[in-house]
Amino acid sequence: MEQTFVKQTIALWEQSVKRVTDTFKGFSEEAFQADIAPGRNRPVYMLGHLVAVHDRMLPLLGLGARNWPELDAAFIRTPDRTVADIPSTADLLARFDQVNAQLAAKFAELTPAQWLEKHADVSAEDFAKEPHRNRFNVLLGRTSHIAYHQGQLVWAKK
Amino acid sequence: MEQTFVKQTIALWEQSVKRVTDTFKGFSEEAFQADIAPGRNRPVYMLGHLVAVHDRMLPLLGLGARNWPELDAAFIRTPDRTVADIPSTADLLARFDQVNAQLAAKFAELTPAQWLEKHADVSAEDFAKEPHRNRFNVLLGRTSHIAYHQGQLVWAKK
């Protein structure tokens, strides 16, 4: 039965990834570079942000090394338009596909018991007290994280 | 083990409900009535929408009758500003607390096996072919639904 809970949660993750990818792929270059609402982020920043956050999931879930730790400077540690030199939208889209495929392949290999193991940002001592700080919680949280930005991206002009 | 997956998913739902409730409770009446971005929804519409969607979860999950089916006319079937006569924000906030408390009480009673039972919008015949159309999937989807609107609400002026 636990396999069903895991499979359905992964299915919502993949559906959320597909939906936001389709949204990004529907934008013109002009749309990618325009603030979604006055003074708010550009879609290209959100794309880079999601690439970086999903890339961080590889070591966080103990599934491998990061591909592009250098993206954090522009897309996680600083707000939009702070770092001028960022990859092209085509490059970021390709990276998003790549990291999501890497995650999907790894997710398929994990057993339900492995989903309940600790993630990398919690110590063994803290995990003993807070056993919900496991891989499954990261999966749930990052799925909601996509939805959060999806709600903003639907307000962008295409 | 399946109990852990259910508990963590309910925990994210409750955390998401609390976060969006806190966001709503931080708005002035003026903020509730102002478009979040030009031509986009007002926070009061999103609040009414979330009340109606969560209220629908009671029969959808087989947990009881709806409290306020009349809200669908203004908050689900039509876009913002279509129906002029809507409840006050104070009233909607009270209803949001009420329906979320009802759901929390019912969620705590369901066993993992009951979470995998079909929801009310799918026939027994279709459920046999598509067993993921169960209560757990509604919980996952509605949690992402809150996050989607949370991403929009953070752009409102307080």
Side-chain angles (χ1 to χ4, degrees):
Chain A
M1 188 193 304
E2 58 269 14
Q3 186 66 50
T4 305
F5 292 109
V6 170
K7 275 178 69 172
Q8 289 194 200
T9 309
I10 294 174
L12 181 65
W13 159 268
E14 301 216 329
Q15 189 184 313
S16 305
V17 164
K18 183 182 182 320
R19 188 177 175 205
V20 78
T21 300
D22 288 349
T23 300
F24 282 126
K25 292 189 175 171
F27 288 143
S28 64
E29 183 59 25
E30 192 188 341
F32 264 117
Q33 304 295 339
D35 291 358
I36 294 178
R40 305 301 179 181
N41 294 332
R42 296 173 297 164
V44 69
Y45 178 82
M46 281 190 203
L47 172 57
H49 176 68
L50 284 167
V51 172
V53 168
H54 290 195
D55 192 41
R56 286 166 79 131
M57 290 172 71
L58 288 165
L60 181 58
L61 297 174
L63 303 175
R66 293 195 59 177
N67 298 293
W68 318 288
E70 68 278 8
L71 291 182
D72 293 8
F75 296 116
I76 294 194
R77 290 200 299 271
T78 56
D80 194 7
R81 298 185 188 275
T82 311
V83 175
D85 182 25
I86 60 171
S88 70
T89 51
D91 182 0
L92 289 172
L93 282 170
R95 296 189 201 201
F96 197 47
D97 283 342
Q98 180 186 326
V99 70
N100 291 328
Q102 288 172 316
L103 289 168
K106 297 288 189 180
F107 287 178
E109 291 171 8
L110 291 173
T111 64
Q114 287 174 320
W115 278 106
L116 297 183
E117 290 170 356
K118 82 177 196 66
H119 62 61
D121 280 1
V122 62
S123 68
E125 191 185 2
D126 287 346
F127 184 66
K129 287 175 280 184
E130 302 173 296
H132 65 278
R133 297 178 69 179
N134 52 36
R135 288 191 179 106
F136 184 69
N137 223 39
V138 172
L139 177 65
L140 285 173
R142 294 302 183 277
T143 303
S144 270
H145 179 252
I146 300 172
Y148 180 97
H149 290 299
Q150 180 76 39
Q152 299 171 334
L153 286 165
V154 295
W155 281 357
K157 290 181 194 72
K158 297 225 178 53
Chain B
M1 191 192 304
E2 58 268 14
Q3 185 65 51
T4 305
F5 292 109
V6 170
K7 273 178 70 173
Q8 289 194 200
T9 309
I10 294 174
L12 181 65
W13 157 268
E14 302 215 328
Q15 187 183 315
S16 305
V17 164
K18 182 181 185 319
R19 187 178 174 204
V20 77
T21 300
D22 288 347
T23 299
F24 282 126
K25 292 188 175 171
F27 289 142
S28 64
E29 184 60 25
E30 192 188 344
F32 265 117
Q33 303 295 338
D35 292 357
I36 295 178
R40 306 298 180 182
N41 293 332
R42 295 173 297 164
V44 69
Y45 178 82
M46 281 191 203
L47 173 57
H49 175 69
L50 284 167
V51 172
V53 168
H54 291 195
D55 192 40
R56 286 166 77 133
M57 288 172 71
L58 289 165
L60 180 59
L61 297 174
L63 302 177
R66 293 194 58 175
N67 299 293
W68 318 288
E70 68 279 8
L71 291 183
D72 293 7
F75 296 114
I76 293 194
R77 289 199 300 272
T78 56
D80 194 7
R81 299 186 187 277
T82 312
V83 175
D85 182 25
I86 60 171
S88 70
T89 51
D91 183 359
L92 289 172
L93 282 170
R95 295 189 201 203
F96 197 47
D97 282 342
Q98 179 184 327
V99 70
N100 291 328
Q102 289 172 315
L103 288 169
K106 298 287 188 178
F107 287 177
E109 291 171 7
L110 291 174
T111 64
Q114 286 174 320
W115 278 105
L116 297 184
E117 289 171 357
K118 83 177 195 68
H119 63 63
D121 280 1
V122 61
S123 68
E125 192 185 3
D126 287 345
F127 184 66
K129 287 175 282 184
E130 301 171 297
H132 64 278
R133 297 176 70 180
N134 52 35
R135 287 190 179 107
F136 185 69
N137 224 38
V138 172
L139 177 64
L140 285 174
R142 293 302 184 276
T143 303
S144 270
H145 179 253
I146 299 172
Y148 180 96
H149 290 299
Q150 180 77 38
Q152 299 172 333
L153 286 164
V154 293
W155 282 357
K157 289 180 196 71
K158 303 228 174 53

